[in-house]
């Protein structure tokens, strides 16, 4: 469509609003002035803008992931599994978007990144409190993030609350027990602040679900949504690791982590171990 054709088509849309002197605009609703003025480069290097925006967009997506995971966890705890399925499916789609973000960041070369890396100081994605909130929501609990934010009360409170709350997998295991499947009391009454460890009774319960899909259809669907979520999460971690390796190689991270070596170690962490182990037994 040419410019004149586009202009003619626009003029033919008689109902399009053009007077916003007393009405809310798209820019107002999204607070775009605030969002688009939040990219503060600390160097004069062209590619620092890419680095900032990719990480800001990732944090926005993570905010939505947390929103969906919290709602899904509450829904399952309230014995309303069906609404949780839509939320968990959405999380998987969001994860795919973050993965594509790493693809964009990988256009940054080592020669370009080194020009502004020192400007980051000790700031690092390793310190992302939203990423830790996601890990907490999925059941991987550690205290190092709490220590980082001891001097920031609001963030510390968010992390502490998530750290002490049942994870998505905790409430899913409770759902297995409500369905009459035998779960060890030590699991049902465990300290949810501790990282989850694989349990034989949970494995047997999920195996029963897969072996009798008709009886346990909702639990079967829940299991597959959890597998989708973890599958995408591992792809997210892998793409992150390869992007970092491509840009800085084996150098330590700006925040003091071992960089790629640390990221390689966490790729094989499982949030829902029994849902993977049963696949060899079905």
């Amino acid at each position: 469509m040419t410019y004149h054709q586009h202009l003619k088509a626009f003029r033919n849309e008689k109902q399009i609003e053009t007077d916003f002197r007393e009405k809310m605009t798209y820019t107002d609703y999204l607070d775009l002035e605030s969002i688009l003025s939040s990219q503060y480069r600390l160097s004069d290097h062209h590619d620092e803008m890419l680095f900032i925006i990719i990480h800001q967009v990732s944090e926005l997506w993570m905010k939505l992931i947390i929103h969906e995971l919290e709602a899904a966890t509450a829904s399952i705890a309230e014995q309303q599994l069906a609404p949780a399925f839509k939320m968990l499916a959405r999380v998987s789609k969001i994860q795919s978007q973050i993965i594509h973000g790493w693809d964009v960041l990988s256009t940054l070369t080592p020669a370009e990144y080194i020009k502004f890396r020192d400007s980051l100081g000790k700031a690092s994605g390793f310190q992302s409190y939203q990423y830790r909130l996601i890990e907490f929501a999925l059941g991987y609990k550690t205290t190092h993030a709490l220590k980082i934010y001891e001097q920031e009360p609001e963030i510390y409170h968010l992390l502490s609350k998530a750290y002490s709350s049942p994870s998505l997998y905790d409430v899913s295991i409770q759902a297995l027990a409500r369905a009459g499947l035998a779960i060890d009391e030590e699991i049902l009454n465990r300290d949810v602040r501790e990282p989850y460890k694989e349990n034989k009774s949970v494995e047997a319960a999920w195996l029963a679900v897969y072996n009798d899909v008709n009886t346990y259809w909702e639990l079967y669907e829940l299991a597959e949504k959890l597998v989708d979520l973890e599958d995408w999460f591992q792809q997210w971690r892998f793409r992150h690791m390869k992007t970092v390796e491509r840009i800085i190689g084996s150098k330590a991270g700006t925040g003091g982590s071992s960089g790629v070596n640390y990221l390689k170690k966490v790729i094989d962490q499982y949030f829902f171990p029994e849902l993977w182990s049963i696949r060899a037994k079905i």
Side-chain angles (χ1 to χ4, degrees), residues 130-179:
Q130 290 203 123
Y131 184 84
R132 301 306 168 190
L133 285 172
I134 293 171
E135 286 191 326
F136 289 0
L138 297 178
Y140 183 67
K141 307 288 182 75
T142 58
T143 58
H144 64 263
L146 293 171
K147 294 176 182 177
I148 292 171
Y149 288 101
E150 283 179 344
Q151 307 307 314
E152 299 187 49
E154 289 187 14
I155 295 176
Y156 185 80
H157 173 72
L158 283 174
L159 287 165
S160 296
K161 182 180 178 182
Y163 180 74
S164 301
S165 299
S167 72
L168 176 65
Y169 201 43
D170 287 323
V171 298
S172 296
I173 292 171
Q174 294 284 345
L176 290 172
R178 285 197 303 269

Side-chain angles (χ1 to χ4, degrees), residues 227-279:
V227 170
D228 285 343
L229 194 157
E230 181 143 60
D231 188 347
W232 279 107
F233 203 97
Q234 288 177 322
Q235 292 184 57
W236 175 7
R237 282 172 163 169
F238 178 80
R239 199 69 195 93
H240 181 193
M241 181 273 292
K242 294 305 292 184
T243 302
V244 171
E245 185 175 37
R246 177 172 178 157
I247 296 173
I248 69 169
S250 59
K251 291 179 182 177
T254 49
S257 74
S258 60
V260 168
N261 288 333
Y262 169 79
L263 295 174
K264 285 181 177 179
K265 290 176 184 176
V266 300
I267 285 174
D268 290 330
Q269 284 178 351
Y270 284 93
F271 299 114
F272 322 127
E274 296 87 357
L275 287 172
W276 297 93
S277 63
I278 62 168
R279 279 163 156 69

Side-chain angles (χ1 to χ4, degrees), residues 10-270:
F10 177 79
R11 287 173 175 168
N12 287 336
E13 294 289 331
K14 303 299 185 183
Q15 303 304 313
I16 291 179
E17 293 282 354
T18 56
D19 183 358
F20 286 93
R21 284 172 292 185
E22 296 181 2
K23 299 171 186 174
M24 179 177 65
T25 66
Y26 174 82
T27 298
D28 296 332
Y29 176 67
L30 296 178
D31 195 15
L32 282 182
E33 289 188 11
S34 175
I35 294 172
L36 298 179
S37 61
S38 295
Q39 292 72 47
Y40 303 106
R41 286 189 292 168
L42 299 179
S43 73
D44 60 0
H45 196 277
H46 172 83
D47 291 318
E48 189 181 357
M49 183 65 76
L50 163 69
F51 192 82
I52 292 170
I53 288 177
I54 287 295
H55 287 85
Q56 287 183 336
V57 169
S58 292
E59 290 291 335
L60 284 172
W61 279 129
M62 283 192 277
K63 182 174 183 177
L64 184 54
I65 286 176
I66 294 163
H67 177 71
E68 299 295 342
L69 287 178
E70 288 179 346
T73 300
S75 183
I76 295 167
E78 294 164 3
Q79 304 183 45
Q80 299 294 321
L81 271 62
F85 299 154
K86 176 66 175 292
M87 299 165 192
L88 296 177
R90 182 174 291 159
V91 170
S92 293
K93 293 297 184 182
I94 296 167
Q95 289 172 304
S96 73
Q97 293 299 309
I98 297 178
I99 290 169
H100 289 312
W102 291 124
D103 292 340
V104 178
L105 186 59
S106 68
T107 64
L108 181 69
T109 71
E112 293 162 346
Y113 181 50
I114 198 66
K115 297 294 185 181
F116 64 85
R117 190 184 192 222
D118 287 347
S119 300
L120 306 181
K122 297 299 180 182
S124 167
F126 187 77
Q127 299 150 10
S128 170
Y129 73 87
Q130 290 203 123
Y131 184 84
R132 301 306 168 190
L133 285 172
I134 293 171
E135 286 191 326
F136 289 0
L138 297 178
Y140 183 67
K141 307 288 182 75
T142 58
T143 58
H144 64 263
L146 293 171
K147 294 176 182 177
I148 292 171
Y149 288 101
E150 283 179 344
Q151 307 307 314
E152 299 187 49
E154 289 187 14
I155 295 176
Y156 185 80
H157 173 72
L158 283 174
L159 287 165
S160 296
K161 182 180 178 182
Y163 180 74
S164 301
S165 299
S167 72
L168 176 65
Y169 201 43
D170 287 323
V171 298
S172 296
I173 292 171
Q174 294 284 345
L176 290 172
R178 285 197 303 269
L181 295 159
I183 304 294
D184 291 344
E185 286 298 319
E186 65 187 65
I187 294 297
L188 296 175
N189 300 313
R190 76 183 196 89
D191 184 349
V192 297
R193 296 171 298 179
E194 296 295 325
Y196 178 78
K197 294 181 181 178
E198 192 169 357
N199 176 267
K200 291 297 183 183
S201 70
V202 174
E203 182 183 69
W206 284 124
L207 189 57
V209 168
Y210 276 80
N211 284 331
D212 191 355
V213 171
N214 291 332
T215 299
Y216 300 110
W217 177 258
E218 278 202 326
L219 291 171
Y220 171 68
E221 192 165 357
L222 173 61
E224 284 299 291
K225 288 291 184 290
L226 294 177
V227 170
D228 285 343
L229 194 157
E230 181 143 60
D231 188 347
W232 279 107
F233 203 97
Q234 288 177 322
Q235 292 184 57
W236 175 7
R237 282 172 163 169
F238 178 80
R239 199 69 195 93
H240 181 193
M241 181 273 292
K242 294 305 292 184
T243 302
V244 171
E245 185 175 37
R246 177 172 178 157
I247 296 173
I248 69 169
S250 59
K251 291 179 182 177
T254 49
S257 74
S258 60
V260 168
N261 288 333
Y262 169 79
L263 295 174
K264 285 181 177 179
K265 290 176 184 176
V266 300
I267 285 174
D268 290 330
Q269 284 178 351
Y270 284 93

